[in-house]
Amino acid sequence: MSNIEQTLSIIKPDAVERNLQDKIKSEFINNDFEIVEEKKIHISKDEAEIFYKVHESKPFYKDLCEYLSSGPIVVMRLQKDNAVLENRKLMGATNPKDADDGTLRKKYGISIDKNSVHGSDSVENAKIELDFFFKD
Ligand code: CMP
């Protein structure tokens, strides 16, 4: 039975800065994701703080928000069967050092902060994160 889902993907500042967005978008397309919507934006630190609010209590929160707002990002609405889990598999572990070969973070990530991509971690959070960037 099919289980079509949507999830949010962000190509983070480190990857956009290195002009990797087309390469990363091809990886999604080659793995049967449909890019339903996308936009290149530069968010403020206040917006990043709202987006990453779940991490508010973490020691890395301030740096994380500064980083996400440090340059342009590409946000995408991805669709596929089991998109949330499939995207997490394609991205690999949060820390590129621990990510499996062939995953996006292994191929393109620089460090745990500059790990090139973000993806929603659950169907529930995907809805919240997609609304954050795409609700008009
Ligand atoms: P992301 O999937 O965007 O979600 C939160 C981000 O926090 C994560 O990717 C990492 O880039 C960043 N981060 C920095 N330090 C840590 C850490 N110790 N544990 C988890 N995430 C971290």
Side-chain angles (χ1 to χ4, degrees), residues 1-2 21 26 60 70 75 80 84 93 113 117 132:
M1 223 171 65
S2 77
Q21 61 268 42
S26 317
F60 56 83
S70 68
V75 292
K80 186 186 170 168
V84 172
D113 302 301
V117 281
F132 182 81

Side-chain angles (χ1 to χ4, degrees), residues 1-127:
M1 223 171 65
S2 77
N3 179 41
I4 296 292
E5 292 173 355
Q6 292 192 339
T7 191
L8 177 83
S9 172
I10 303 179
I11 305 177
K12 294 190 183 184
D14 67 275
V16 175
E17 191 181 5
R18 286 175 289 149
N19 217 5
L20 292 170
Q21 61 268 42
D22 287 343
K23 262 194 184 149
I24 293 176
K25 274 158 55 179
S26 317
E27 301 248 15
F28 287 117
I29 291 161
N30 293 340
N31 282 277
D32 300 323
F33 285 89
E34 183 186 341
I35 302 172
V36 178
E37 272 184 280
E38 66 170 284
K39 57 184 177 186
K40 187 176 178 187
I41 51 176
H42 190 159
I43 61 170
S44 67
K45 190 161 169 272
D46 288 353
E47 288 170 317
E49 285 175 359
I50 298 167
F51 177 74
Y52 273 135
K53 199 155 177 59
V54 290
H55 295 300
E56 199 173 19
S57 62
K58 311 266 175 59
F60 56 83
Y61 178 65
K62 193 169 167 282
D63 287 347
L64 177 62
C65 297
E66 258 161 31
Y67 169 61
L68 196 71
S69 56
S70 68
I73 57 175
V74 176
V75 292
M76 294 175 288
R77 182 191 293 276
L78 298 181
Q79 182 167 298
K80 186 186 170 168
D81 226 30
N82 302 311
V84 172
L85 184 64
E86 291 297 312
N87 182 33
R88 294 181 68 73
K89 282 201 238 165
L90 183 59
M91 287 192 299
T94 306
N95 192 337
K97 270 201 321 211
D98 304 326
D100 288 338
D101 284 347
T103 61
L104 299 179
R105 283 166 169 164
K106 178 71 167 200
K107 283 190 197 171
Y108 305 116
I110 297 171
S111 65
I112 194 163
D113 302 301
K114 298 183 172 180
N115 61 356
S116 299
V117 281
H118 166 86
S120 311
D121 65 1
S122 65
V123 173
E124 193 188 1
N125 281 337
K127 287 202 177 74

